[in-house]
Amino acid sequence: MAYEEMMASLPDAMKQAGIGKGDMLYIASDASLLLLEARKKCGVKTVEQRNTFLHYFIDVLQEVVGTQGTLMFPVFTWAFCHGEGFDARRTLGEVGALNNWILEYRKDFCRTKHPLYSFMVWGKEANTLLSMENKCAWGENSPFSYLYHNNGKMLLLNVMVSSNIRACDLARKMHIKPQEVNRIIDLQHNTKIDTIDSAMKALGKNLQLTVV
């Protein structure tokens, strides 16, 4: 199977999840699960094949949200808390290999300034996010606040890939309407923590909260 064929259903799956043109999208994912599927189905093994596959994957995401949309990949790191310096182009994140791959290989993305909670961003709102000088990671002038106030959405892509599940499938597992699943992934909607926990359990995952 060619990776183009493997990715062919992704735009439709995202559409069913309520994601489309003009959306501001926070992508929470890890390349390991995605690449495992690519290795099994498409024979992606070498570094060159991996890079070609991931470039195509990111291009598909860009096409889904369009030039009026925005993509945000978290590149969070807590090294600064231990006295290490922060370099927006060189300091690696601690929250996923895909995000660090974007840092290294996708020059059409840029990194926001916060030394702990930074993002690789692309799209319409990229310049706004890059100009933020927020000292508080979660405050009113932060990317998180901007996501909330601009109807941002979150894509848990690693869970979707590993579970091979669509929004309608998750709704069926949770015994709820598909519209309710759309609200769960909508950052503008105040979803109860027990609802998120139920969604994770339906996907065979455990929700864990860590205070740092």
Side-chain angles (χ1 to χ4, degrees), residues 48-113:
E48 183 178 358
Q49 289 173 332
R50 177 206 67 182
N51 289 347
T52 300
F53 172 76
L54 290 178
H55 276 301
Y56 184 81
F57 166 63
I58 298 299
D59 291 345
V60 169
L61 294 182
Q62 290 177 330
E63 183 177 348
V64 168
V65 300
T67 56
Q68 294 302 303
T70 305
L71 298 179
M72 301 174 63
F73 289 84
V75 201
F76 306 159
T77 172
W78 295 273
F80 192 75
C81 298
H82 306 294
E84 298 181 27
F86 174 74
D87 185 321
R89 287 306 312 172
R90 294 184 175 84
T91 301
L92 295 178
E94 302 173 41
V95 289
L98 176 59
N99 311 324
N100 285 331
W101 181 88
I102 292 172
L103 174 66
E104 182 175 358
Y105 290 100
R106 293 294 298 215
K107 304 309 178 185
D108 52 341
F109 282 74
C110 293
R111 193 175 188 174
T112 58
K113 300 175 184 177

